[in-house]
Amino acid sequence: MKKPVPSDAIAFFGMTGDLAHKKIFPALYNMAKRGALNIPVIGVASSQWTVEQLCDRARDGIEKHGGGVDDEKAFGHLAELLDYVSGDYNDLQTYKALRQKLPNARQPAYYLAIPPSLFPVVVEHLGAADCAKNARVVVEKPFGRDERSARELNEVLHQVFPERSIFRIDHYLGKEAIQNILYFRFANSFLEPVWNRNFVRQVQITLAEDFGVDGRGRFYEEVGALRDVVQNHLLQTVALLAMEPPVGTEVEDLRDAKEKVFGAMRPLTRADLVRGQFDGYRDEEGVAADSDVETYAAVRVHIDSWRWAGVPWYIRAGKNLPVSATEVRVELHRPPQRVFAEYEELPRDTNYLRFRLSPQVQIALGARVKLPGESFKGQPIELSFTEDTSDEMTAYERLIGDAIEGENLLFAREDGVEEAWRVVDDVLVQHERAHPYKPHTWGPAQAEGLIHGGDGWHNPGI
Ligand code: BG6
């Protein structure tokens, strides 16, 4: 396949904001350390800052959120690449000033680290100021609030940028562990025969965080767990687990296979969702005294496809749970017939594949083996493999690098994003009130009722 032409400059709208401070500067610094950043980096924002102030902000972000500046030469290199345009996003002059900073850029990239409500004005002005020719645009989540707003955002972007030039960030797709799911599935052949409804009994995915909303109460009031992590990170994870093998080696072949899964997901109904809210959430700054926003969501997803018909996918995410860990557990049916006396007493779920996505990257196979001795009695064991990813790029580093290179494999595509919203759209508004739960517990007891067969959720340990 022909490689895309890399961008020769990148501009970040919202460079004085929170996301830049926490994620973008540390990622750029790491790229500079690896020698992977050699194009002008222009910050754009409304604050009247100097380039020196921006550099100070960069250093602060790297110190606080990126492990610190341990290579002054690399930081100096980043500082040399940095430039800044201050101006009103509603004023065409801002974009003309940006254009002047990029006189030789033939294929610039624009990263919108700004609230989606500002996308229309920025995108329109990029077009009007002749900034968009051959350009790429990188957009942050949340990509809309529901299906309708996501479609509107797509329309806004498409007025100026073709789909192949739009890079929608879902940082989960930049994680090593997530890519490993894709690799493990399609680089091995032993999995395929069992990877379907005939052998898989259920799939469980848990994204647990042992902290609350960390001062982000105002933001959380606008989103809640369903919008924050389920519609995007967790449904993307489902798509990678459930997709058919791609029919070719092109990036779009792979994306086609993945995006099709969203189309086969059945829209959630009230009965497929349990929402929870941890006690104390309403005392957070920016949170309404009678807030019904969920800090925990558990859902049951069905994929109406030949491969997955009848297999329930249980997904849950919550703040203030007992541990921080994200895990997928693909559980197989138990053997069909009694061969050993212990059969009736056995739990149903001793045969499974477990993908630990964080804090470690781990793949494990759960099985029963015979205990030494005369009788045919066994014990559950796990064959597991843990990868050392301490030197790996962070998700943001990888995704910013890929966007600059024009590689769009790890970005969400228009159809998938809209379909994923379709799946959750009804229950965003039609749901029971959130059930309270105590911090550092596994969420409301009602979530147990979602699981068919009565054997409950598997809580990831650490
Ligand atoms: C973000 C959410 O997108 O993902 C956060 O806004 C959440 O609320 C985070 O904590 C989880 O991602 P990670 O990479 O920190 O596990």
Side-chain angles (χ1 to χ4, degrees), residues 93-284:
Q93 281 311 322
T94 307
Y95 303 82
K96 290 194 173 152
L98 172 61
R99 195 78 198 103
Q100 276 166 9
K101 296 268 185 197
L102 306 168
N104 302 319
R106 298 166 62 89
Q107 187 122 29
Y110 303 105
Y111 191 118
L112 310 188
I114 49 177
S117 55
L118 293 174
F119 287 3
V121 68
V122 171
V123 168
E124 207 176 288
H125 281 85
L126 282 172
D130 202 22
C131 292
K133 196 159 153 243
N134 291 330
R136 303 193 167 107
V137 65
V138 186
V139 292
E140 265 297 332
K141 88 175 246 278
F143 196 81
R145 293 187 47 73
D146 52 21
E147 189 183 356
R148 191 172 59 91
S149 54
R151 284 186 193 279
E152 283 167 6
L153 278 182
N154 277 330
E155 270 168 37
V156 165
L157 292 170
H158 286 149
Q159 277 166 17
V160 177
F161 297 95
E163 178 62 22
R164 66 168 189 287
S165 305
I166 301 172
F167 293 71
R168 296 177 193 79
I169 291 211
D170 183 315
H171 82 279
Y172 251 57
L173 292 176
K175 285 180 185 257
E176 183 62 31
I178 294 282
Q179 290 161 39
N180 206 6
I181 292 180
L182 186 67
Y183 188 83
F184 188 72
R185 277 199 60 197
F186 299 122
N188 297 304
S189 58
F190 67 89
L191 216 52
E192 181 58 15
V194 299
W195 209 247
N196 55 53
R197 67 182 193 289
N198 297 323
F199 289 86
V200 175
R201 178 172 172 249
Q202 59 162 296
V203 183
Q204 291 194 6
I205 307 179
T206 299
L207 189 170
E209 293 178 315
D210 66 1
F211 49 88
V213 290
D214 272 355
R216 296 198 306 160
R218 207 172 304 281
F219 161 78
Y220 221 74
E221 281 288 275
E222 293 295 314
V223 286
L226 260 182
R227 288 189 172 92
D228 189 32
V229 295
V230 176
Q231 181 273 345
N232 36 57
H233 305 333
L234 294 181
L235 290 190
Q236 289 285 341
T237 307
V238 171
L240 288 170
L241 287 160
M243 67 191 263
E244 294 301 316
V247 290
T249 53
E250 303 283 320
V251 167
E252 289 308 320
D253 294 328
L254 220 141
R255 291 176 100 198
D256 283 346
K258 175 164 83 73
E259 310 303 302
K260 275 200 180 118
V261 180
F262 297 109
M265 288 180 192
R266 203 183 293 169
L268 298 179
T269 65
R270 261 178 115 98
D272 296 320
L273 166 69
V274 173
R275 299 185 319 126
Q277 186 187 80
F278 66 80
D279 292 343
Y281 172 70
R282 293 176 185 180
D283 304 330
E284 294 277 338

Side-chain angles (χ1 to χ4, degrees), residues 206-208 316 323 325-327 354 356 358 442 458-462:
T206 299
L207 189 170
R316 66 180 168 163
V323 298
T326 304
E327 192 161 284
R354 189 169 65 76
R356 173 59 75 99
S358 76
W442 283 103
H458 287 274
N459 299 330
I462 45 167

Side-chain angles (χ1 to χ4, degrees), residues 12 15 20-38 41 55 57-79 81-82 393-394 396-398 400 404:
F12 289 88
M15 197 56 147
H21 192 234
K22 285 189 177 146
K23 301 285 189 189
I24 294 173
F25 285 126
L28 292 174
Y29 169 66
N30 283 341
M31 289 169 74
K33 274 203 329 194
R34 280 191 295 112
L37 187 69
N38 293 302
V41 178
C55 287
R57 176 81 170 166
R59 185 181 284 277
D60 194 61
I62 298 160
E63 293 293 349
K64 294 204 172 107
H65 305 288
V69 175
D70 53 358
D71 181 341
E72 283 298 337
K73 207 162 148 238
F75 184 81
H77 178 64
L78 170 60
L81 295 172
L82 273 181
M393 284 186 261
T394 61
Y396 267 86
E397 206 181 324
R398 183 170 299 203
I400 293 174
I404 290 174

Side-chain angles (χ1 to χ4, degrees), residues 186-447:
F186 299 122
N188 297 304
S189 58
F190 67 89
L191 216 52
E192 181 58 15
V194 299
W195 209 247
N196 55 53
R197 67 182 193 289
N198 297 323
F199 289 86
V200 175
R201 178 172 172 249
Q202 59 162 296
V203 183
Q204 291 194 6
I205 307 179
T206 299
L207 189 170
E209 293 178 315
D210 66 1
F211 49 88
V213 290
D214 272 355
R216 296 198 306 160
R218 207 172 304 281
F219 161 78
Y220 221 74
E221 281 288 275
E222 293 295 314
V223 286
L226 260 182
R227 288 189 172 92
D228 189 32
V229 295
V230 176
Q231 181 273 345
N232 36 57
H233 305 333
L234 294 181
L235 290 190
Q236 289 285 341
T237 307
V238 171
L240 288 170
L241 287 160
M243 67 191 263
E244 294 301 316
V247 290
T249 53
E250 303 283 320
V251 167
E252 289 308 320
D253 294 328
L254 220 141
R255 291 176 100 198
D256 283 346
K258 175 164 83 73
E259 310 303 302
K260 275 200 180 118
V261 180
F262 297 109
M265 288 180 192
R266 203 183 293 169
L268 298 179
T269 65
R270 261 178 115 98
D272 296 320
L273 166 69
V274 173
R275 299 185 319 126
Q277 186 187 80
F278 66 80
D279 292 343
Y281 172 70
R282 293 176 185 180
D283 304 330
E284 294 277 338
E285 203 187 317
V287 171
D290 59 351
S291 171
D292 182 44
V293 167
E294 78 282 358
T295 59
Y296 171 102
V299 296
R300 183 174 49 216
V301 176
H302 284 102
I303 300 172
D304 291 325
S305 70
W306 190 273
R307 186 187 287 268
W308 295 114
V311 178
W313 294 67
Y314 300 111
I315 303 171
R316 66 180 168 163
K319 302 279 184 200
N320 252 335
L321 301 192
V323 298
S324 281
T326 304
E327 192 161 284
V328 174
R329 199 170 186 281
V330 180
E331 198 177 295
L332 305 182
H333 289 292
R334 67 175 179 168
Q337 210 189 339
R338 174 188 165 126
V339 175
F340 307 111
E342 64 174 8
Y343 188 77
E344 301 308 334
E345 303 147 30
L346 285 186
R348 304 182 71 86
D349 54 2
T350 49
N351 224 196
Y352 59 86
L353 259 165
R354 189 169 65 76
F355 297 89
R356 173 59 75 99
L357 308 182
S358 76
Q360 325 81 335
V361 179
Q362 193 178 48
I363 298 182
L365 172 67
R368 285 189 75 75
V369 294
K370 187 180 162 303
L371 278 168
E374 280 181 357
S375 61
F376 277 102
K377 283 218 155 144
Q379 62 177 335
I381 55 116
E382 264 197 357
L383 304 167
S384 74
F385 168 71
T386 308
E387 239 170 346
D388 179 7
T389 51
S390 46
D391 289 337
E392 275 310 310
M393 284 186 261
T394 61
Y396 267 86
E397 206 181 324
R398 183 170 299 203
L399 293 176
I400 293 174
D402 276 10
I404 290 174
E405 292 298 319
E407 302 281 0
N408 56 12
L409 175 64
L410 303 179
F411 295 84
R413 206 168 69 179
E414 173 193 13
D415 43 353
V417 169
E418 289 177 4
E419 289 291 337
W421 277 118
R422 180 190 56 79
V423 175
V424 297
D425 220 38
D426 288 347
V427 296
L428 290 173
V429 283
Q430 292 169 32
H431 48 236
E432 320 251 315
R433 280 191 75 78
H435 302 283
Y437 64 94
K438 299 241 167 310
H440 309 300
T441 65
W442 283 103
Q446 287 82 350

